[in-house]
Amino acid sequence: MDSIDPALLLSAYAQGIFPMADGADDPSVHWVEPRLRAILPLDGFHLSRSLKKILLSDRFRVTTDSAFADMVALCAEPAGDRPTTWINPVIKASYDRLFRLGHAHSVECWYDGLLVGGLYGVTLGRAFFGESMVSRVRDASKVALAHLVARLIAGGWKLLDCQFLTPHLASLGAIEIRQADYLARLYSVLAGGDGAGVGAGAGAAGVSVPSPPFAAGDWGALDALGADTLGADRWTGSPPGYVIAQLLTKTS
């Protein structure tokens, strides 16, 4: 198998399932449905004083969808604390196809002209499924996630799935819920709701997967907001840190 069919992949995401490989050299993939699921409430992002200071400094140049394949490749590279990853050639090819179809996006952080961190994920309706993020320079992934959350808020997204909870994600506001409660939120969002009224213990029993088409979020809304803030003549395509910090402060 060279890649997963995009329709099959999106159908899996709509049911709370995603693919992984056992290692970067593993030729196969398997489907994962965690018992516990990490999400980051978009109104609960933790903008610490230190992170706000980094955003305001514009230490990194932040772009989106300008180097998707490079972003996936960077996430797949081994590192000192991560000798291997779950991103194999099948995963790379599958998400590249989704990107070309408009169902995957990346946020890239650059420093001195080099790609030093960022993230990528899948979008379906107003749900965004974070796949992987990476830092090769301190704080790059935090800045990328801050830009992502701001972009999702501006564009009308209602759910940010983080798959598995880590201390790093928890420090930024991510929480862990049961998979059944996650599915209830996901189905609500795909059906056009906001998922906010779906409390713990609601579950998804007896609820069918909503059928496409799903109302989509606007990935470019943050760019329009930045253009309105700076003026079209000064606009370069990536909102400066103070725009991101201001938006996150208003919604946290």
Side-chain angles (χ1 to χ4, degrees):
M1 177 174 61
D2 295 329
S3 66
I4 305 169
D5 179 76
L8 173 62
L9 191 49
L10 292 175
S11 176
Y13 275 98
Q15 299 173 69
I17 305 169
F18 55 89
M20 295 183 73
D22 286 333
D25 297 327
D26 184 2
S28 62
V29 298
H30 57 274
W31 297 101
V32 180
E33 186 178 14
R35 293 177 59 187
L36 294 174
R37 196 76 171 233
I39 63 170
L40 203 165
L42 295 175
D43 60 355
F45 182 80
H46 181 219
L47 181 63
S48 66
R49 290 182 179 179
S50 59
L51 179 54
K52 184 176 182 179
K53 184 176 180 180
I54 294 167
L55 287 171
L56 294 176
S57 73
D58 285 320
R59 178 187 306 173
F60 302 101
R61 182 173 70 89
V62 181
T63 60
T64 179
D65 291 348
S66 68
F68 182 85
D70 293 336
M71 189 72 258
V72 176
L74 186 64
C75 288
E77 287 181 2
D81 60 343
R82 189 178 61 178
T84 187
T85 73
W86 52 269
I87 303 173
N88 69 355
V90 174
I91 295 290
K92 290 179 181 178
S94 300
Y95 289 91
D96 184 65
R97 291 180 71 182
L98 284 189
F99 173 69
R100 286 185 275 115
L101 291 170
H103 279 288
H105 295 286
S106 59
V107 177
E108 306 97 11
C109 287
W110 307 82
Y111 187 77
D112 285 345
L114 298 177
L115 181 63
V116 296
L119 57 85
Y120 75 95
V122 172
T123 182
L124 186 64
R126 291 194 173 98
F128 188 91
F129 310 87
E131 281 299 309
S132 187
M133 66 180 186
V134 64
S135 277
R136 290 293 182 261
V137 170
R138 184 176 178 176
D139 297 320
S141 65
K142 290 183 180 181
V143 169
L145 187 60
H147 275 255
L148 173 67
V149 171
R151 187 168 292 274
L152 298 183
I153 292 171
W157 267 265
K158 302 300 180 182
L159 177 64
L160 172 52
D161 168 33
C162 301
Q163 296 183 347
F164 301 107
L165 189 64
T166 65
H168 179 58
L169 287 170
S171 72
L172 293 167
I175 61 174
E176 197 171 53
I177 61 176
R178 296 187 311 126
Q179 177 74 354
D181 297 326
Y182 167 79
L183 288 177
R185 290 174 184 244
L186 173 62
Y187 294 171
S188 170
V189 169
L190 294 180
D194 60 11
V198 181
V207 180
S208 59
V209 182
S211 299
F214 307 121
D218 182 358
W219 186 255
L222 183 64
D223 301 323
L225 177 63
D228 290 342
T229 301
L230 295 178
D233 59 330
R234 296 176 55 199
W235 184 238
T236 60
S238 181
Y242 79 84
V243 174
I244 304 301
Q246 184 179 50
L247 184 56
L248 294 177
T249 301
K250 287 181 178 179
T251 54
S252 61

